[in-house]
Each structure stands twice: as C-alpha cells, then as structure tokens.
Amino acid sequence: MPIFKSKLAFITLTLLALAGCAAPQPEVSEQFQNDWEFKTVKGKVALVESAPEAIARRIELVRNAESSIDIEYFSWNKDTTGLLFLNELVLAADRGVKVRIILDDLLVFNEKWLASAATHENLDIQIFNPFNSRKAGWLTRAFDFQKHQKDLDHRLHEKYMNIDGETLVLGGRNIGDDYFSYKPKNNFFDLDILVQGEVTEDFERNFEEHWIAHYTSDIEFLIEFKDKKPLQSFHRTFEKVTKSKQDALADIESRVRGLQEPNYIAAKLTPVFDSAEKLHDSMPYFRHRIEHFVYRYPSAKKELVISTPYMLPNEDGFKVVTDFANHGADITLVTNSMASNDSGFVPAYYENHRDELLDKGVSIYEYDTHAIHLKNVHTRKGHYHNKAFILDGKLSYIGSSNFDPRSDFLNLEFGIMIESEEFAQRLQHYLLGDKSLYWNVERNEDGKLEWRRGNQLKNKDPNYGGASKVFDKLYRAINIENEL
C-alpha cells in the first residue's frame, strides 16, 4: 500500500527528530494574562459558503485590489490552486499593487518557484523562523529540528489576507488544492470569513510586527536560483503544473465570474492576537486571552459548541470544558474521527481523552472520512479542519488555533470574536446543519462506545483498521503529545 509506505517513511524521519524530545509544558499561573485588555469595534462579516467559493473569493479580491495586499499562511502548495493564486498576485503586482507575503518555513524547502516570484519589484516574500537545512529534504531537516528544537519548534500558524486595508479573509484554510476541494481526494472541510470595518487596522499592526521582526527573513537570502528572464522559474512551474489542469482552471474562472455580492452581517468584533514573546517563553498567551474574554462575556454560559480538528488537553486539562460542564452547560464537540484526522499522531492521543470528554457530558460528533459535500468539486475522503466555537448562540469565534498544546505553547495564532446572533446561527448551520457528515459518539447501556450515523451503528471506530491501531500504540510510547 503506497499510503502505508509513505506513512512509515514519515514516521522514521519524525522519530529521529522527536523521540524523547517533546518539551514539557511550562507552569502557568491562574492570573496569567488577567490584565490583558481587548478592544471591541463595529464591523461586518460574511461566511464563505464552500471550498470552491473560497478560492474564487480570493481571486476576485486580488483582481479588484488597488494598492496593497498582505498575506500570511502556514503552507502554500505547489499545485493548481497554489500556483494559480500566486499568478494572480503576480498580475496584481504588474498593475502596481504592493504584495507582501509571510510564510511559515516548515513546509518550504528549496522552492525556486516561490523565490522567483519574489523577484518582482512589487512582490516580497518573508519566511518565518527559517530552518538551517533546505536542499536535502526531510531527513536533514529532521536532524536540524532535533539540534535546534527550542528555536525551530515555534511556527507561524496564522491565516490572513488583507486587500487594500478594507477587506480581510480569515479562517483555517491554507493555500492548496486540498483546501479548495480541487484535489481528487483527501480534501479539507474548512472555514473562511470576509471581514470589513475598523478591526482591519489591528490585523495590519499584527502583520507589520511580523514583517519587520528578526524572526522573518527575505526568501532571496534563503533560496539560491538564477532566472535568465524575469520570473522564469515561476512561470515555467506554473505552466508545467497547470498544463494538464485546464478543466480545473476553467471551473475556477467560471466560479469567479459567477460570484454574488457577499452576504455581510453587522456585528461587534474583537480581535485576539498571540504575543511574539511566546517565541522565547512558550507561554499560552493566545489561549488565556480567549479564555478571559469568554469568562467575562455577559451570557448565561449554557450552550457551547466547539469545532476543532484536534482536541487534546493542555497543562490544566480541559479547563473550559470542565468549567462549563460544572455550570450545567450543554457542550457539543465537532471534530475529526480517528479515520478522518489528517495527523498521523493526534488520533493516538485523542482516543485516550475521548472517554474523559464523554464523562463530562460532552456530545461528540466525529467527521466521517467519506462525508459528501455537494458544493465541493471532489468529495472522496476528507478531513475536518474548522476552527471555531459558538457560545449561547450569539458569540462566535473563528481563527487559526486548534484545541491542542501546539497552538497553546508553540504556534503563533490569532482569531476574532463575533457578537451577532444571526452570524452564530449561520455558523452553526454551516458546521452542524447536515448531521449526515458525522458519527455521533455515545455510550451504550453496557458503557461501551458506539457510533451512530443515520441508520448505521458501529461498535468500533469507523473506517479505522488494525494497522492504524498498531501505529497508535507506537506513537503513545514515544510520548510526543506536547508537540501536537
């Protein structure tokens, strides 16, 4: 099985870097970030309704840009949509629009196509926290990580696009076919919003802080290449990759032309950012700021919907879940099933904590890896990637962070709080309007777990074979939960 072989190779490399190297979580006082002050402003938000619409909206915004485009992403694939989107940015730069991009370095190697695009006088690319190893692939990078783990463990996980300082695109999507449903299989069910209003200024300040910081480096100093003609390496790569993808390009173009005006909803908006100090002290600035806002928020605290790809406890366990459960709240968790999880490691640890969540009275909906999204281009096998929560049907959160130790202690994250009952209803419908996408996990009369989906009933993790269980035991044995 090719999947098995690639997974085994990945395990081998990862073990070299991570075995025995998971950093302990720091001690965090209950008063940490108690003095954090937030700012709430009026604005408006629109939910992007599907994966294909998400790439169409981005292209439309870029084509309408007049002066500036700022972008941050964790990953940017060298595939049809990744190259198409970068080509649209090059065309915008040709018109005189100033384009700035910050990319995390974890998945950037010797990407000459990226560096070539950055030679445009109006397009600059900065790499966040670059590795020392670049040309020899994962093997040398794994050793590089092992040697410099304290520094390289911190990654930029923010996802952000700002057009002319007027419209933001925020959410969980990165740039690539699997985020826009143009990959034949293994696409993500994910989430984006469009945001307008005064809040854009706060996100601009956050971007600017990263742009001028010592922890970002110009891509031209990291990747060596020679172009005989301007942007030659990029154009060659674009033409080579997209040559056989004309149907996909035509489909995307038709969707761009068919876009309607976004359905904006007025709301009160509160941005929440991480602190760059996390790169030095690994403290959970972002999570504690979110928690302080939620605890102070004037509502009954009777209903909480949590949506996250990965659900793992931090240094104080599932504190928010425990507090809400003790308060008598109805708590719903929407997350990946063991089979749908795109991480090879998370299922091994999530399985250990699922019983604890059920004991707290949490209703768990696990995404079916074969769920069908009728609005998508391809629906064969998928992963859940929505990062959000909804409190009492009126306060929503959307951002880049997962409910796991990595988002808490290692990655730089951000998000936005949205106060609007209308938007909360729309978001809840987007996440849970179609229950056929999920397996509802419950205990039967004998106390054993069972999974229900429509008329189907399973007494084992659906679509999760014995070989995966064997690997799960290995992953738990090497104890890397704090890295996830």
Side-chain angles (χ1 to χ4, degrees), residues 179-206:
Y179 289 95
F180 305 118
S181 82
Y182 283 92
K183 192 175 180 181
K185 63 178 181 178
N186 296 320
N187 291 294
F188 291 96
F189 176 29
D190 212 331
L191 175 64
D192 278 320
I193 56 172
L194 308 178
V195 181
Q196 292 185 345
E198 183 183 337
V199 73
T200 59
E201 298 174 4
D202 297 283
F203 283 91
E204 287 174 350
R205 281 191 288 271
N206 181 74

Side-chain angles (χ1 to χ4, degrees), residues 352-375:
N352 280 354
H353 300 296
R354 184 166 49 195
D355 283 321
E356 177 186 353
L357 292 167
L358 289 170
D359 289 342
K360 296 179 184 298
V362 177
S363 298
I364 300 179
Y365 288 87
E366 295 182 347
Y367 188 68
D368 178 29
T369 191
H370 299 299
I372 295 176
H373 296 266
L374 297 178
K375 293 183 179 180

